Amino acid sequence: MYNLLNFDKYLFEKNQIKKNKIGKIIIIFGPPGSGKGTLSKKISKETGILHVSTGNLLRSSKEPKIQQLMSSGKLVPDKYIIKEIKKIFKNKDLSKGIIIDGFPRTISQSKKLDSMLGKMGLGLSYSIYLKIEKDEAIKRILKRDEGRKDDESKEIIEERFKEYNIKTLPLVEYYNKSRKTIILNGMESIEKNYKKIIKKLL
Ligand code: ADP
């Protein structure tokens, strides 16, 4: 009996330690070209929060199926992303927190994230929705030069917006109902949006 109680205490403490080691868990979503990556990088640089871009992770994958889907503007199947996200939670130092840029991108991914975090005794701290008009976003994509194949043609950019509207946009309502969603205007300067976020996070 005594040992069992002690074992419970041990498990509890073990989980507490793990929890304390993880800072705020933040996700950021918005249409292609909304500035998710730029804003996340700034947050990470200023605060030490780890920035993870699922787009970047996938771009470095050697899996032909992933490359083919990405270069046609389609989302890649959940299993590839979930695997990467799990690896990050397992291996990276998240003591200062994590900002996940580009995931979840569908309601199904959001449920998978909740379930994964739930199993670790964790939960999402904030979701950030970066809102922007499509015309402005397209102008930005066409101007930037990151050597991305999926930025090269108007057809592929259109396909990304189609995917976004059908699969990602429903997340806005989904998160707004139940979570702390910070809605930002993507037309504002990075500096202004950064300040707004910091006020909420501190
Ligand atoms: P953007 O949002 O500007 O299109 P990203 O770098 O976030 O750029 O994503 C690029 C591509 O990576 C997407 O079009 C998609 O093919 C793939 N991708 C990134 N994150 C996910 C995700 N969570 N689920 C499915 N596909 C993803």
Side-chain angles (χ1 to χ4, degrees):
M1 188 62 177
Y2 178 77
N3 278 342
L4 264 181
L5 275 175
N6 261 352
F7 187 62
D8 273 353
K9 191 169 165 267
Y10 161 76
L11 277 183
F12 175 76
E13 279 169 1
K14 196 171 153 232
N15 284 332
Q16 279 301 106
I17 290 164
K18 197 159 189 283
K19 253 193 205 177
N20 291 342
K21 274 210 236 152
I22 297 190
K24 292 205 167 69
I25 302 169
I26 304 158
I27 58 151
I28 180 163
F29 62 99
S34 55
K36 303 182 292 284
T38 318
L39 188 58
S40 308
K41 269 187 224 151
K42 165 100 181 150
I43 297 170
S44 173
K45 192 172 159 231
E46 305 284 342
T47 64
I49 293 178
L50 180 75
H51 169 217
V52 170
S53 150
T54 48
N56 286 348
L57 285 176
L58 293 168
R59 269 185 285 280
S60 64
S61 157
K62 291 193 175 63
E63 177 77 37
K65 172 107 182 122
I66 293 183
Q67 295 311 326
Q68 180 248 319
L69 285 166
M70 286 181 83
S71 54
S72 60
K74 299 268 188 210
L75 293 190
V76 315
D78 289 1
K79 62 173 181 184
Y80 295 113
I81 326 277
I82 308 289
K83 205 172 89 190
E84 296 299 329
I85 298 287
K86 279 190 176 155
K87 265 198 245 161
I88 285 158
F89 274 83
K90 204 170 154 224
N91 303 325
K92 296 276 183 189
D93 175 7
L94 304 182
S95 54
K96 296 225 166 116
I98 178 168
I99 179 157
I100 314 173
D101 143 22
F103 173 87
R105 241 179 169 90
T106 63
I107 300 233
S108 130
Q109 288 182 6
S110 160
K111 290 183 175 160
K112 285 177 185 159
L113 175 65
D114 282 344
S115 132
M116 185 197 91
L117 293 177
K119 279 184 199 148
M120 293 188 278
L122 301 168
L124 207 58
S125 311
Y126 287 101
S127 58
I128 301 172
Y129 169 39
L130 201 48
K131 218 175 159 180
I132 193 170
E133 292 300 324
K134 184 180 169 190
D135 287 356
E136 174 63 24
I138 291 184
K139 261 195 235 159
R140 290 183 184 183
I141 294 174
L142 293 174
K143 245 202 273 170
R144 71 184 176 194
D145 184 18
E146 292 175 359
R148 279 175 57 170
K149 271 194 206 142
D150 60 348
D151 279 353
E152 275 169 16
S153 97
K154 287 207 171 138
E155 287 72 37
I156 300 168
I157 296 171
E158 274 303 327
E159 190 57 44
R160 280 153 65 199
F161 273 93
K162 224 195 237 164
E163 289 279 83
Y164 175 79
N165 287 331
I166 298 170
K167 297 175 182 168
T168 311
L169 207 51
L171 276 182
V172 176
E173 207 180 321
Y174 181 74
Y175 275 119
N176 233 344
K177 265 190 208 151
S178 57
R179 327 281 175 111
K180 292 177 226 162
T181 302
I182 305 170
I183 302 178
L184 296 176
N185 180 355
M187 301 293 281
E188 297 274 18
S189 69
I190 298 286
E191 197 57 40
K192 212 165 178 183
N193 278 332
Y194 167 72
K195 281 188 182 144
K196 264 190 196 163
I197 293 175
I198 288 302
K199 254 193 228 154
K200 305 246 181 193
L201 297 186
L202 293 179

